[in-house]
Amino acid sequence: MLIACRTTILRTALVVGLLLTAWPGHAFDIQKVTSPSGITAWLIEDHSNPVIAMEMIFDAGAANDPTDKEGLANLLASTLDEGAGELSSTDFQSALSEKSISLYFRAGTDRFRGIVSTLTANSDTAFEMLRLALHQPRFEAAAVDRIRAQIMAKIRSDTQQPQSRAWRLWLQELFPSHPYGRPRDGTLESVARIDSDDLRRFAKAGLSRQGLSIGVVGDISAERLARVLDQVFADLPAQSSLPPVADQQPISDGQIRVIDQDIPQSVIVFGHAGIAWGDPDYFGAALLMQIVSGGFQSRLVQEVRVKRGLAYGISASLFPRDHSAMVIGSTATRNAKARETVEIIRAQWRKMAEQGPTASEITDAKSYLIGAFPLRFTDSPAIARSLAGFQHLGLGPDYPNQRAAMINRFTADDLKRIARRLFQEENLTFTILGRPQDIPAGSRAKSATQ
């Protein structure tokens, strides 16, 4: 079923970054459960409430869409639960509703997620419904056309939203010949070309046990979970047959690209190449981004909003995708103030690279990344999501207990070195949508002052 609300790319980046930097490890005992056929899941048993949540991550996503059928993974995620086995779309959804089962799928750029939440009493039905959706989706023409129409309506809406358009154009600029430069939802033309056979082929090729990560939380024993894992996943293909996605550095050359649109504000998206999550410097980079753009006291918010009132909000984050690492930020300001805003961003990048963070900034950033994150993960589905995410990132079950040390080990000298590496002011690339004064439409200047 189509999920109407899409998380923004920057919010996604922030969530990924936080997943990698903090976790309430002291509160949970993570068990590694392996089924008789060798399928592995991480489990936190909690019998205090009769609820079970499971999240699975497949190694597939919009980056694997064929070049002429962008949006295929997204349409697949939106139609997998639109009927399966002997159940039509209506009957399938009614069966879920009658048992208070939540089952849905989401396609990201590099990930394909499935989420199921159920009462323990209805868990047999929930896991069987999940199995049917993964193995016997119907992809009835009427259901596919209905969901397609919803997606196309959303695409039309997004093209009218300056923020969405600016993000899309920035990615196209930095990844002109790579899947990361394509719209995840596809285009009106590409989505119209997708048929039920395309959906079946992608599901068979991409929903495999290769790279499968599973997190489970709630009222289920390790013994029962092992049986469920084989029931649901054992018959999936062992290997993915999707074409590989190439690694690609973003083409961040320090230019400013202005796209004319008659709107009262200039929407600004900026960034450059970043630091990958597996890099030894990643957690240090996360600390630095917290200092520059992590909250109301961050440097960018203070300089842009508090001191000058140029924008209501401004944010930037590490964005580590599987095949490219980026730093991405955005803001919106009056057309007359776009040039000033760009220069402030550049100045803050330059200052951090040259001087690094202060001792008090380091202390505050470490305290926040270690202490605040657990407050956001207080329900079973969110914890299951994190367990699956940790696995997919190659982290071990001991990560929750190690995360504080992984953050605290960075010294001021370490962070100064990483700041010089991360904050590439000369490569800071901007896309500005609007009619900014003193920056002509179509401009590709190296600096807003040129």
Side-chain angles (χ1 to χ4, degrees), residues 292-305:
V292 168
S293 182
F296 194 77
Q297 296 301 320
S298 67
R299 293 185 180 187
L300 281 180
V301 172
Q302 287 293 308
E303 295 296 326
V304 172
R305 174 179 170 172

Side-chain angles (χ1 to χ4, degrees), residues 77-265:
S78 302
T79 52
L80 266 183
D81 63 348
E82 290 289 335
E86 299 299 320
L87 299 175
S88 67
S89 175
T90 300
D91 291 340
F92 193 92
Q93 291 298 321
S94 295
L96 294 174
S97 179
E98 288 170 3
K99 296 288 188 178
S100 299
I101 298 168
S102 174
L103 171 62
Y104 57 94
F105 299 89
R106 289 176 176 165
T109 302
D110 298 308
R111 309 278 187 272
F112 193 99
R113 296 176 177 267
I115 304 97
V116 60
S117 300
T118 178
L119 296 171
T120 308
N122 299 329
S123 58
D124 284 343
T125 301
F127 293 132
E128 176 60 14
M129 299 289 278
L130 172 60
R131 187 191 70 81
L132 287 173
L134 291 175
H135 292 276
Q136 302 177 42
R138 293 172 68 98
F139 300 129
E140 296 171 345
V144 172
D145 287 344
R146 172 169 51 82
I147 298 300
R148 186 203 319 276
Q150 295 178 32
I151 291 173
M152 293 174 78
K154 183 177 182 301
I155 292 172
R156 292 187 187 95
S157 176
D158 284 349
T159 60
Q160 301 303 314
Q161 298 296 323
Q163 291 81 6
S164 297
R165 188 174 177 219
W167 279 108
R168 186 170 64 253
L169 292 169
W170 187 86
L171 287 168
Q172 288 175 0
E173 185 78 2
L174 271 70
F175 297 96
S177 58
H178 190 272
Y180 286 172
R182 305 184 315 204
R184 190 178 67 186
D185 292 347
T187 64
L188 295 177
E189 295 76 17
S190 67
V191 173
R193 284 192 288 266
I194 300 169
D195 59 27
S196 295
D197 288 340
D198 295 317
L199 296 169
R200 292 188 182 93
R201 282 191 292 267
F202 193 98
K204 183 177 181 180
L207 303 186
S208 72
R209 301 197 306 275
Q210 181 182 351
L212 175 63
S213 303
I214 304 168
V216 183
V217 177
D219 187 23
I220 186 171
S221 68
E223 293 75 18
R224 184 185 174 210
L225 176 58
R227 296 191 298 271
V228 168
L229 293 176
D230 277 352
Q231 170 197 343
V232 175
F233 303 107
D235 291 334
L236 290 173
Q239 301 291 324
S240 170
S241 57
L242 293 172
V245 177
D247 293 342
Q248 177 69 59
Q249 279 286 96
I251 303 174
S252 49
D253 54 8
Q255 294 186 356
I256 299 172
R257 181 188 183 199
V258 178
I259 296 92
D260 181 74
Q261 186 165 332
D262 188 10
I263 51 177
Q265 286 193 318

